[in-house]
Amino acid sequence: LSISLEEAYTGLEKEIEIQHLETCLKCKGSGAEPGSKVTKCPSCGGSGRIRQTQRTILGSFSSVASCPACQGTGEKIDSPCKSCKGTGRSRGKSKINLKIPAGIDNGYRLRVSGAGDAGSKGGPQGDLYAFITVKPHEKFKRQGDNLFTYEKIDFVSAILGDEITIMVLNEKTSLKIPSGTQPNTVIRLKGKGMPRINSSGYGDLFVEVQVQIPTRLSKNQIDLLKKIKGI
């Protein structure tokens, strides 16, 4: 399942549709036509296994294998279910609400108990495993619980200092620009990164400050800068 970095940041509940094996409604998982007789397999006596002995020059070796007559079920069905062809299961679709916790990362595997394939011959259902992929973001990069991004500021803010509002995925936060900030300076904001999935708290946010130098200035701006340079 692919999700965005914003969805990984907040967590979400997502409805997904899966194809899996369900218990056959007609035979209720028995594999036999309704009213058909089910008896013990005469080949294995109902155990589902047979012992095989092989003689070699080194002696006799015994092994246990699944009974080929009943495919290991231990049963003989006089009339197999026509709907599922005696398997007791049929392919169907189900909709499942998958809860994705905040802070999840690439490679995480979520388990939904009892949402997998139906068990053989009316046995319990297996589990569903969802493998999560977080799609790359155009501005934010992630390393563990930390986030890395950039922010463009004008040269006056870099010289005098400033406090600006930036967007961190789905939330606003303040970024203080110290006076005299140099281009490509990295400012660390503690606790503004990704939620920690296995514990409380958040990672950190690292913002690279990119100072923009104007390419066009008015005559008044040029005169002011010349005065500053003269000082």
Side-chain angles (χ1 to χ4, degrees):
L1 187 67
S2 293
I3 62 173
S4 66
L5 187 60
E6 287 86 352
E7 290 173 325
Y9 182 78
T10 59
L12 73 156
E13 188 169 330
K14 199 175 186 73
E15 185 180 70
I16 60 173
E17 186 176 76
I18 62 168
Q19 291 188 354
H20 63 158
L21 293 174
E22 301 175 329
T23 299
C24 177
L25 296 177
K26 185 176 182 181
C27 68
K28 296 181 174 54
S30 69
E33 276 287 313
S36 177
K37 188 177 180 181
V38 179
T39 58
K40 288 183 179 181
C41 173
S43 297
C44 63
S47 68
R49 298 178 297 174
I50 58 171
R51 183 174 296 276
Q52 298 174 329
T53 301
Q54 184 179 7
R55 288 187 173 86
T56 68
I57 58 174
L58 298 176
S60 297
F61 295 91
S62 296
S63 62
V64 177
S66 179
C67 176
C70 64
Q71 286 76 49
T73 64
E75 297 177 343
K76 179 185 177 183
I77 300 173
D78 290 342
S79 180
C81 174
K82 295 177 181 177
S83 179
C84 64
K85 298 179 181 179
T87 63
R89 300 184 292 183
S90 59
R91 188 159 293 279
K93 294 181 180 180
S94 295
K95 290 184 177 180
I96 294 169
N97 286 324
L98 184 65
K99 292 183 179 180
I100 302 173
I104 199 164
D105 202 355
N106 276 316
Y108 268 80
R109 185 181 70 173
L110 299 178
R111 176 188 175 211
V112 184
S113 180
D117 284 342
S120 179
K121 300 298 181 182
Q125 280 189 261
D127 299 332
L128 169 70
Y129 290 91
F131 294 85
I132 303 299
T133 300
V134 181
K135 292 179 283 190
H137 196 278
E138 60 181 5
K139 187 175 180 182
F140 290 87
K141 293 189 181 300
R142 179 179 184 179
Q143 290 183 10
D145 297 324
N146 296 327
L147 287 174
F148 296 81
T149 188
Y150 64 89
E151 200 65 35
K152 296 178 180 179
I153 64 171
D154 59 72
F155 73 103
V156 177
S157 295
I159 295 170
L160 301 178
D162 201 354
E163 184 171 351
I164 61 175
T165 300
I166 63 173
M167 288 297 299
V168 183
L169 299 178
N170 297 327
E171 298 180 358
K172 292 180 180 179
T173 191
S174 295
L175 177 66
K176 290 183 178 180
I177 309 295
S179 59
T181 294
Q182 300 299 306
N184 303 322
T185 295
V186 177
I187 300 174
R188 177 184 181 186
L189 299 180
K190 291 185 178 182
K192 296 298 181 180
M194 295 294 292
R196 294 190 175 100
I197 190 169
N198 292 321
S199 62
S200 60
Y202 290 74
D204 298 333
L205 172 67
F206 296 84
V207 183
E208 180 184 306
V209 177
Q210 298 179 352
V211 181
Q212 293 182 298
I213 306 299
T215 57
R216 293 182 180 180
L217 294 173
S218 66
K219 185 179 181 302
N220 288 336
Q221 289 171 326
I222 293 173
D223 291 340
L224 286 171
L225 289 172
K226 284 181 178 179
K227 288 180 180 179
I228 294 172
K229 185 177 181 181
I231 293 171

